[in-house]
Amino acid sequence: MSTPDPRYCLWVLPTHNATADRYFYGRYSVLKSLSSARKFLKLVDKYFSKRPSLAPMAVRALEDCHLLATLNLDFLSASFETVRSASRILPVLMADDVQTLLSAILTNVQTCTDSLREASTAWELRNGLTEPLSKDTKLYSVSLALFNKVWVPKRKKRSSATALAPGSPSLWLTTVASRKKRFAFGHGQLAVRMPDRVSSIYEAARSKHVRQHLLQSSEEHGMNAITVRDIVVVSQDGYGNFSTINEAISNAPNNSKSSDGYFMIYVTAGVYEEYVSIPKKKRYLFMMGDGINETIITGNHSIVDGWTTFHSATFSVVAPDFVAVGITFRNTAGAVKHQAVAVRNGADRSIFYTCSFEGYQDTLYAHSLRQFYRGCNIYGTVDFIFGNAAVVFQGCNLYPRLPMKGQFNAITAQGRTNQNQSTGISIQDCTIMPADDLASSNLTVQTYLGRPWKEYSRTVYMQSYIHDSVNPAGWKDWNGTFALTTLYYAEYNNTGAGSNTSSRVTWPGYHVINATDAANFTVSNFLLGNDWVPMAGIPYHAGLL
């Protein structure tokens, strides 16, 4: 078994039980982790009592830690429920679920630590929480390592690697309302027996615009049928159900199940100056806009203006099974404000389709769990795609922008801290091109595919077009030799002048891989996405092209 700290592993596990087997030790470590998570959450709550005496930045760091600690308690509780009676290798999907959760708890602890470090003036807060965070990291690492050794199949099930064709647009949206009432959108017609409440919504929200948008989406995007429990409309002109996105989210049902279908929030065209947060109970939300540069959610929080990186997001989501289609997300703080997140995503099995993410440093925080992005535009400068999710970007456009004077561009900064985490960034069939401001500039700006934010950083580019503006070395170090032997950076079958690997870095962790290795980073294998992406009706390729 491979753990980051074998001596700690031997110390923390009980040795007095002569009849204990590996399943006992695995359950013990998860249960002990659960107990430790409860203690840490109580400690954070204790510090909240000192809130009036803390600086605003420290309060935000404490809020970050509280949210992350609450999520860890949930993740460990769910993990223990799975392993408490399991005495054999788990089915692939069940094992992947728990492996994902145990990977995420380490990410959450690291993020809390990072936020406390950013709030450097709060010495009492930082010193009081750093030691227990360090101990928890060691314990959670043991739980993840034991789980991977004891319950995870040696090889993930490999689904078909053929491309999934878009479905027929003749019937795109099927809505299943409560009390067994149904209605459907077909080509140019609205079926009868639409629930009274939904009917009134459409009358109030200029039904022809709503219907036209939803019907045209099927033709324009090739989306398959999806199931929706209800639809509400957000409109700034007073004709919708709500005038703000946050109001619509607040009124969405809690703890929906997949059998309920999605709760759809249709956000009509407009510029929404809101900081939107989707909490964990708002599961199965489907947020649809009128398209890129039509429906725009914008903010300008940044680390320079007193927000932690985690807290700076214009739009954040932790609720599982979230889908967004046709929306632009912006952080307009600018390059001079450094870390300024447009979207922070910590939602398991989340999907963004034909969306745009616009910022400079740290634009898209793919924070944790399993994520899929298809047909999106991502703009930024330094580390503009970062985080520690297991994430696939497919058919997306990645646009390095003009940074501050003296800065370079790094497209990715992947944050894997533990070799047993099932996380990494996979970039497939994407286009890497300079944004207009960079392309038209006379300045010489170095652009790199990525750099190692954390020790086991993992990023793969495959079957993508790479413009010659990318530095021939491809990748940039973070700080000297840090992580160069432990990272995993790989390229497979890319095109464009910038894809030439003859002058790439010679780090031990860099690889030019073959199709067999590349297949490990596809939607079907890396995310087991064939088991959850189809529900959203999003077209995608399951494997290599």
Side-chain angles (χ1 to χ4, degrees):
M1 181 182 67
S2 177
T3 64
D5 192 342
R7 293 181 62 183
Y8 176 83
C9 180
L10 292 173
W11 177 81
V12 76
L13 295 177
T15 57
H16 59 275
N17 191 334
T19 62
D21 59 10
R22 58 181 187 166
Y23 298 102
F24 168 82
Y25 288 118
R27 284 190 287 271
Y28 177 89
S29 66
V30 175
L31 187 60
K32 188 172 181 64
S33 295
L34 180 59
S35 175
S36 187
R38 289 195 181 101
K39 291 178 181 178
F40 183 76
L41 184 57
K42 289 181 180 179
L43 181 60
V44 174
D45 286 335
K46 177 182 176 181
Y47 274 99
F48 262 121
S49 65
K50 303 178 181 181
R51 186 169 181 159
S53 64
L54 297 174
M57 185 77 158
V59 172
R60 287 160 186 157
L62 194 60
E63 289 171 347
D64 294 350
C65 291
H66 189 273
L67 169 61
L68 295 162
T70 301
L71 292 173
N72 276 358
L73 198 59
D74 293 343
F75 295 166
L76 284 162
S77 296
S79 298
F80 184 69
E81 285 302 309
T82 299
V83 304
R84 68 187 305 173
S85 59
S87 297
R88 64 182 64 185
I89 297 294
L90 291 172
V92 172
L93 293 177
M94 190 177 295
D96 194 62
D97 284 346
V98 178
Q99 189 180 26
T100 297
L101 296 177
L102 294 179
S103 295
I105 64 171
L106 284 168
T107 303
N108 290 344
V109 169
Q110 182 63 56
T111 304
C112 173
T113 303
D114 291 342
S115 290
L116 292 171
R117 186 178 299 114
E118 290 174 345
S120 57
T121 57
W123 292 109
E124 179 187 358
L125 177 65
R126 181 176 171 182
N127 292 343
L129 295 178
T130 297
E131 184 177 353
L133 283 169
S134 178
K135 291 180 179 178
D136 284 350
T137 296
K138 292 181 179 181
L139 179 57
Y140 298 161
S141 296
V142 171
S143 292
L144 176 60
L146 281 171
F147 180 81
N148 287 358
K149 180 70 174 179
V150 174
W151 282 287
V152 176
K154 291 184 178 180
R155 293 177 65 88
K156 283 186 178 182
K157 177 184 68 176
R158 292 201 170 186
S159 305
S160 170
T162 58
L164 298 185
S168 168
S170 61
L171 183 62
W172 174 68
L173 182 65
T174 302
T175 304
V176 181
S178 60
R179 303 181 185 88
K180 299 183 180 180
K181 294 180 180 179
R182 298 173 180 267
F183 68 95
F185 290 99
H187 258 321
Q189 62 179 359
L190 185 63
V192 296
R193 294 196 299 171
M194 187 165 69
D196 294 339
R197 178 173 177 272
V198 177
S199 180
S200 64
I201 288 174
Y202 275 80
E203 290 174 3
R206 297 176 178 174
S207 64
K208 65 178 182 179
H209 294 295
V210 180
R211 287 175 55 193
Q212 181 181 5
H213 177 78
L214 297 179
L215 290 169
Q216 286 180 346
S217 293
S218 63
E219 297 175 344
E220 294 173 359
H221 301 301
M223 297 173 68
N224 291 305
I226 64 171
T227 302
V228 174
R229 65 183 295 172
D230 207 348
I231 304 172
V232 296
V233 179
V234 178
S235 177
Q236 294 176 326
D237 61 9
Y239 287 92
N241 304 93
F242 306 101
S243 60
T244 70
I245 299 168
N246 281 310
E247 286 178 303
I249 293 168
S250 179
N251 282 273
N254 292 328
N255 299 317
S256 295
K257 300 177 182 178
S258 59
S259 58
D260 297 326
Y262 291 107
F263 182 85
M264 178 175 280
I265 299 174
Y266 169 44
V267 185
T268 61
V271 178
Y272 295 82
E273 297 181 2
E274 295 187 56
Y275 294 94
V276 177
S277 179
I278 303 180
K280 62 183 182 180
K281 291 183 179 181
K282 303 297 182 178
R283 303 186 60 164
Y284 292 100
L285 285 188
F286 194 117
M287 187 174 293
M288 173 169 278
D290 271 327
I292 291 174
N293 292 329
E294 295 295 330
T295 298
I296 301 167
I297 304 173
T298 184
N300 63 2
H301 287 170
S302 69
I303 193 166
V304 170
D305 288 334
W307 304 86
T308 64
T309 300
F310 187 84
H311 227 87
S312 70
T314 300
F315 184 98
S316 59
V317 55
V318 296
D321 303 289
F322 172 77
V323 182
V325 177
I327 299 174
T328 291
F329 304 92
R330 286 181 183 160
N331 189 312
T332 61
V336 296
K337 294 300 181 72
H338 297 281
Q339 295 98 315
V341 176
V343 168
R344 187 191 78 234
N345 184 6
D348 197 20
R349 299 180 300 272
S350 54
I351 298 172
F352 286 79
Y353 179 49
T354 59
C355 290
S356 185
F357 306 85
E358 301 175 8
Y360 289 85
Q361 183 170 346
D362 290 2
T363 302
L364 175 55
Y365 198 171
H367 181 262
S368 55
L369 304 164
R370 293 165 290 196
Q371 307 178 14
F372 179 55
Y373 298 76
R374 168 81 180 196
C376 294
N377 299 332
I378 305 131
Y379 297 82
T381 55
V382 181
D383 308 334
F384 65 90
I385 300 173
F386 75 115
N388 196 25
V391 55
V392 175
F393 295 89
Q394 191 177 88
C396 295
N397 299 308
L398 313 183
Y399 293 118
R401 305 177 83 165
L402 184 64
M404 290 174 59
K405 183 179 180 180
Q407 282 188 332
F408 58 85
N409 287 329
I411 297 172
T412 65
Q414 206 281 325
R416 189 165 169 252
T417 61
N418 186 294
Q419 61 189 326
N420 291 309
Q421 287 177 305
S422 56
T423 56
I425 295 173
S426 174
I427 295 173
Q428 181 190 21
D429 189 30
C430 292
T431 298
I432 294 88
M433 289 279 292
D436 290 344
D437 61 347
L438 179 58
S440 61
S441 171
N442 294 323
L443 299 176
T444 299
V445 175
Q446 300 300 321
T447 296
Y448 298 91
L449 299 176
R451 60 180 186 148
W453 182 29
K454 303 296 181 182
E455 188 174 4
Y456 292 92
S457 183
R458 179 161 64 175
T459 303
V460 177
Y461 284 79
M462 55 191 189
Q463 301 177 311
S464 295
Y465 174 85
I466 303 176
H467 188 264
D468 64 4
S469 56
V470 170
N471 187 290
W475 307 82
K476 183 171 177 57
D477 65 281
W478 186 271
N479 184 16
T481 60
F482 169 74
L484 302 189
T485 61
T486 51
L487 61 77
Y488 182 89
Y489 287 166
E491 297 180 55
Y492 167 71
N493 201 26
N494 297 304
T495 59
S499 69
N500 188 332
T501 60
S502 62
S503 298
R504 287 295 196 251
V505 295
T506 57
W507 306 336
Y510 171 73
H511 310 274
V512 177
I513 57 177
N514 59 26
T516 300
D517 291 333
N520 293 322
F521 298 96
T522 59
V523 172
S524 61
N525 291 328
F526 195 46
L527 304 180
L528 297 186
N530 286 351
D531 295 281
W532 55 273
V533 174
M535 180 180 175
I538 303 300
Y540 72 104
H541 295 289
L544 296 175
L545 304 180

